[in-house]
Amino acid sequence: MNVALWITAGLLAAVCLAGSAKLFVPQEKMAAMGGASAQWVHDFSPAALKAIGAVEVLAAAGLILPAVLDIAPVLVPLAATGLVLLFIGAITMRLRRGERTTTTVDLVYLVLAGFLAWGRFGPESFIG
């Protein structure tokens, strides 16, 4: 179980780091690179996209570093819970835009983040 949680944390951290490109890539270029599934970026201001990217960088760090460094490891399940909220927002936004087919990946990430939060708060907690 612990190995599965570490793999999940690593996968979600990689996804968040890849998604954090919003911090550096201009809005128009991001929309062009991602095709039809990236047109959502036009619904947000550049500042909002940078904020989302910053949250993703912090989530990636929060999923891995506290446990590896053994400094406040309770931050791992809290970061996973934050990702659950982020992916709920992403799914909601995609459904409002009518992008039902692109919600599948977000749903998978949502389930993975929920699994990580459950596992690190519960049976494989770093505390105790």
Side-chain angles (χ1 to χ4, degrees):
M1 173 80 138
N2 190 41
V3 173
L5 290 168
W6 273 107
I7 291 170
T8 302
L11 175 68
L12 287 172
V15 166
C16 287
L17 284 178
S20 69
K22 297 170 198 69
L23 281 170
F24 313 106
V25 180
Q27 189 175 24
E28 295 78 24
K29 189 172 181 181
M30 233 179 7
M33 288 186 333
S37 65
Q39 297 308 307
W40 65 269
V41 298
H42 294 300
D43 291 349
F44 293 88
S45 69
L49 291 174
K50 288 189 187 308
I52 294 168
V55 166
E56 290 176 335
V57 167
L58 292 172
L63 291 173
I64 303 295
L65 292 179
V68 169
L69 299 175
D70 197 27
I71 299 172
V74 72
L75 293 177
V76 174
L78 293 175
T81 303
L83 274 180
V84 167
L85 297 174
L86 181 79
F87 288 122
I88 288 172
I91 291 167
T92 302
M93 181 267 311
R94 289 195 186 276
L95 290 175
R96 285 185 180 167
R97 287 183 49 84
E99 299 175 358
R100 299 200 189 303
T101 57
T102 58
T103 60
T104 306
V105 175
D106 290 330
L107 280 170
V108 169
Y109 294 150
L110 172 67
V111 169
L112 289 174
F115 168 69
L116 183 59
W118 169 80
R120 289 303 183 204
F121 271 129
E124 291 291 333
S125 175
F126 292 120
I127 302 165

